Amino acid sequence: MSSQTGTSQKMTIHKLAQMKRDGEKIACLTAYDASFARLLEKSGVDVVLVGDSLGMVIQGAETTLPVSVDDMLYHTRCVANGLAGEQGRALLITDMPFLSFTTVEQAVLNAGLFMKQGGAHMVKLEGGADQAETVAALNRNGIPVCAHLGLQPQYVHKIGGYRVQGRDQKSADKMLADALTLQQAGADLMLLECVPELLASEITSALDIPVIGIGASAACDGQILVLYDILDISPGLRPRFSKNFMASADSIEDAIAQYVTAVRQGGFPAAEHVFS
Ligand code: KIV
């Protein structure tokens, strides 16, 4: 068992909620392996996400759809080992991959694997109010949940591409209602991807749980980016909402540190990284 001191330094859902109340920005990044996880931990990142973006940046697929539960479990274990090799302070979230939560039972079993065998502290799942029952069941079983609204890459073929979501009044109202329903169901964190700035800011104010933005708003309680995008090594074009932190850095460590500082001090995202 960890010493009391070690445990008290660890990031928890309660500390994240306190950061929101205190107006302290939450710095989050993705990671997929132990070496990068160690660098993230050294930089003081608050939350590390093993995103299913690994399908694109690690596996070279065109979408996140081919990623399996086994892939997520393997990479979660790698990242958990890397974090533990340093302070082990960051909160570790694992994405539920495409079709790994089609029923409540399947969701609990797969999320349980990520926690028990992978070392995750929370799972993230895409979907609106229709996922409320799953979120509630995960919650009942002691599994913290990060909900994911806005652009949901697992729905890419349904929505016809990667585009900003919530631009018309009807879809904006639905997103706000979904966010409130998911919070009510027990979600501990909310991720908003590619959402107009005003709507993202409105959702952030309406929720008690912390809201993490990506292509959303500087008013969100925290920010997340894909690690390989900030290091400018992702295949293909870097998304407009991301920023190449290597451009002004001496090293990978420096780029990560610059990102963390920019998020903490409100320097990222700037106007060119959000949508109207
Ligand atoms: O899979 C991923 O990396 C994500 C992003 C929103 C960070 O979900």
Side-chain angles (χ1 to χ4, degrees):
M1 191 189 256
S2 336
S3 73
Q4 274 199 332
T5 322
T7 306
S8 71
Q9 283 168 356
K10 287 194 185 293
M11 185 50 68
T12 63
I13 53 173
H14 303 291
K15 285 186 190 167
L16 292 175
Q18 189 60 49
M19 286 174 83
K20 175 177 179 118
R21 289 192 290 274
D22 293 345
E24 225 181 293
K25 296 289 182 188
I26 302 165
C28 319
L29 273 173
T30 67
Y32 316 98
D33 70 27
S35 301
F36 276 124
R38 289 183 87 114
L39 295 184
L40 261 51
E41 181 65 34
K42 275 191 190 166
S43 75
V45 145
D46 302 304
V47 172
V48 175
L49 168 70
V50 183
D52 62 355
S53 50
L54 70 82
M56 297 162 91
V57 298
I58 301 286
Q59 299 173 337
E62 270 186 24
T63 69
T64 58
L65 305 194
V67 177
S68 69
V69 167
D70 284 348
D71 293 335
M72 293 308 300
L73 185 56
Y74 171 79
H75 286 281
T76 300
R77 259 197 234 113
C78 296
V79 171
N81 290 342
L83 296 178
E86 294 296 326
Q87 303 291 319
R89 173 188 164 276
L91 187 100
L92 175 57
I93 308 180
T94 295
D95 245 338
M96 302 289 293
F98 184 54
L99 299 185
S100 69
F101 51 105
T102 56
T103 64
V104 167
E105 291 71 23
Q106 187 198 24
V108 172
L109 284 177
N110 285 328
L113 275 182
F114 297 147
M115 307 268 293
K116 283 162 75 146
Q117 294 181 21
H121 305 127
M122 180 183 280
V123 295
K124 174 167 84 61
L125 52 88
E126 297 180 14
D130 47 343
Q131 291 300 341
E133 196 191 340
T134 300
V135 171
L138 292 168
N139 205 35
R140 274 198 307 280
N141 284 283
I143 301 174
V145 178
C146 174
H148 181 155
L149 290 175
L151 173 60
Q152 297 162 34
Q154 291 174 13
Y155 289 75
V156 60
H157 297 306
K158 194 75 195 157
I159 57 181
Y162 298 103
R163 47 182 98 236
V164 177
Q165 301 292 306
R167 274 198 157 135
D168 61 90
Q169 196 57 48
K170 192 170 164 218
S171 61
D173 291 347
K174 181 176 182 320
M175 204 185 299
L176 175 58
D178 280 354
L180 290 166
T181 301
L182 289 162
Q183 171 175 269
Q184 177 70 27
D188 302 281
L189 207 61
M190 175 68 60
L191 189 143
L192 292 182
E193 178 167 357
C194 291
V195 174
E197 193 180 16
L198 219 57
L199 175 60
S201 154
E202 197 186 338
I203 294 175
T204 305
S205 305
L207 295 188
D208 296 324
I209 58 173
V211 176
I212 308 300
I214 174 164
S217 168
C220 289
D221 304 303
Q223 301 296 326
I224 188 161
L225 285 177
V226 168
L227 175 65
Y228 288 19
D229 286 345
I230 74 161
L231 300 180
D232 204 28
I233 52 171
S234 292
L237 285 178
R238 187 164 31 81
R240 192 197 113 182
F241 56 73
S242 192
K243 179 175 170 179
N244 172 11
F245 281 85
M246 275 309 278
S248 55
D250 295 336
S251 63
I252 289 173
E253 287 93 322
D254 186 25
I256 295 168
Q258 283 191 27
Y259 166 76
V260 171
T261 305
V263 171
R264 292 247 161 84
Q265 296 181 349
F268 179 84
E272 69 260 33
H273 306 121
V274 296
F275 302 97
S276 51

